[in-house]
Amino acid sequence: MQGFDQGWVALSDRGLLAPAAPDALLHQGLFVMELALPLQNVGLLLDHQSNAGWPRTFAIFHDPAMGIVILHRQGKEVARHVLPAPLPQGKGTARLSFHFDAPARNWRLTFELLGSDPPVALTATGQNPLPIPLSDLQSLCTRPRPTGPVLWFGLTEGAAPPGAAPWIGLRTPVETSLGPVLAGHLKPGDMLLTADHGPLPLRAAHRLALPARGSFAPVLLRAPFYAQTQDLLVSADQLLAISGPEVEYLFGTDAVLMPAGALVDGRTALSDQRRAITGSVALDLGRPALIEANGSLLAIGQDPASDLPLRCLQTYEVLTLMMLLGRSPRRAA
């Protein structure tokens, strides 16, 4: 299994994810920024200025009358990329994506409302973008950022942001043959107790550092609703088993699987956006299985979907079950 963070070159509040030469340049890639809506005022969303060696600038502006402007300078070369107003409006989260390819001499700037139905996006294209020095990217990611609408940002060499992946928090207690062990302390060879296959050896524990706001916000499952004695932090994509008379009444089975993100109701499960980056771990048992974490059953290795240990509910089924349980699902802010 490849770690989700391995698709990123750099992340805000973390910096570069792999060592790089001091003068290394990124000639093509995708810069991604997520923003809390609505955007109302003129403002500087991101700014890097340096005169070390030669003048350099990478700044992103928002102006309700003008739109989004990226000003990029490398020495005497200056590039200005504009996404004209009016921008799509609404509440929630927006994603700004800047794809640049200096060798091919083209760029694309997209502003989209996440979770909107139908999808809402605005795109502009142009020519002659500049490469980005990795040292500038490191400085941009690690300097303190003022409060404002920027939730997080990152840069990848791919054409799209790395896809989401299930994970659990490092302090999640996982049942093993030796008793509960924090997920961050698990090692290959540890025997994990599963509800469907008995003890299984852990093949790998992939440590991840991931965005933890906006569309990548994790979910805090509150005790005692989902765990016995402590809250559990998991990704919104992590599947967990739900059981009870309501499940049996609706679906004719003892338990079903639901993504944690579908459980967010502002009371028993919260969208946790307290930090820009979170440490986490993805466990690999070599097969799909249900592990126990402080009384909650979590599905590990849920790919392909046909091999899931329990039935996974569709979106409309999740809504029906949540209403029967007396909980009103909420989208993450």
Side-chain angles (χ1 to χ4, degrees):
M1 173 181 174
Q2 185 182 34
F4 169 84
D5 61 331
Q6 292 178 4
W8 294 102
V9 175
L11 286 170
S12 54
D13 297 84
R14 176 99 190 279
L16 298 177
L17 299 181
D23 57 349
L25 292 174
L26 192 65
H27 293 274
Q28 61 183 40
L30 180 71
F31 185 91
V32 180
M33 172 190 290
E34 291 195 359
L35 303 155
L37 296 178
L39 294 177
Q40 296 176 328
N41 304 318
V42 176
L44 185 62
L45 301 177
L46 213 59
D47 185 32
H48 171 71
Q49 306 280 343
S50 176
N51 288 307
W54 67 93
R56 301 191 302 280
T57 297
F58 187 81
I60 303 179
F61 303 86
H62 167 253
D63 185 326
M66 180 178 295
I68 298 288
V69 179
I70 296 180
L71 182 63
H72 192 190
R73 179 182 183 185
Q74 295 291 332
K76 296 180 179 180
E77 299 292 329
V78 178
R80 188 169 177 268
H81 314 296
V82 181
L83 185 66
L87 298 177
Q89 296 296 323
K91 283 191 174 182
T93 303
R95 177 178 293 167
L96 181 69
S97 303
F98 173 55
H99 182 269
F100 63 96
D101 190 335
R105 303 180 63 184
N106 61 66
W107 59 267
R108 181 178 66 254
L109 192 55
T110 303
F111 185 90
E112 57 184 319
L113 302 185
L114 299 181
S116 61
D117 188 16
V120 177
L122 183 66
T123 298
T125 60
Q127 296 180 329
N128 300 323
L130 300 173
I132 297 179
L134 292 185
S135 59
D136 288 355
L137 197 60
Q138 171 71 6
S139 177
L140 186 65
C141 290
T142 55
R143 71 175 53 183
R145 288 185 290 117
T147 57
V150 178
L151 299 172
W152 67 273
F153 60 89
L155 193 142
T156 175
E157 293 184 276
W167 54 259
I168 60 179
L170 298 177
R171 298 191 60 79
T172 302
V174 176
E175 290 296 330
T176 75
S177 59
L178 300 178
V181 176
L182 297 183
H185 294 167
L186 290 172
K187 304 180 299 298
D190 289 346
M191 298 298 295
L192 274 57
L193 303 184
T194 72
D196 47 348
H197 299 296
L200 288 177
L202 181 64
R203 286 192 175 184
H206 303 278
R207 295 288 290 264
L208 312 172
L210 308 172
R213 290 178 181 158
S215 63
F216 295 112
V219 175
L220 192 66
L221 300 172
R222 303 296 302 274
F225 301 102
Y226 295 106
Q228 294 174 347
T229 59
Q230 71 177 69
D231 297 344
L232 300 180
L233 187 69
V234 299
S235 73
D237 303 280
Q238 176 62 55
L239 298 180
L240 69 155
I242 303 294
S243 60
E246 296 85 358
V247 171
E248 187 171 1
Y249 171 75
L250 284 176
F251 308 111
T253 185
D254 292 337
V256 293
L257 293 175
M258 293 173 59
L263 299 170
V264 173
D265 61 1
R267 182 174 64 93
T268 65
L270 309 177
S271 176
D272 188 353
Q273 306 205 34
R274 294 174 294 176
R275 58 190 72 82
I277 303 295
T278 187
S280 57
V281 63
L283 303 178
D284 181 5
L285 291 170
R287 63 182 301 176
L290 291 171
I291 64 169
E292 183 175 344
N294 197 237
S296 183
L297 292 180
L298 305 177
I300 299 300
Q302 57 250 46
D303 189 29
S306 59
D307 288 337
L308 289 172
L310 295 172
R311 177 187 170 191
C312 185
L313 297 187
Q314 301 294 320
T315 301
Y316 72 92
E317 295 174 316
V318 169
L319 295 175
T320 303
L321 178 58
M322 292 291 282
M323 295 302 292
L324 188 60
L325 292 171
R327 302 170 189 169
S328 178
R330 298 180 182 178
R331 287 189 179 275

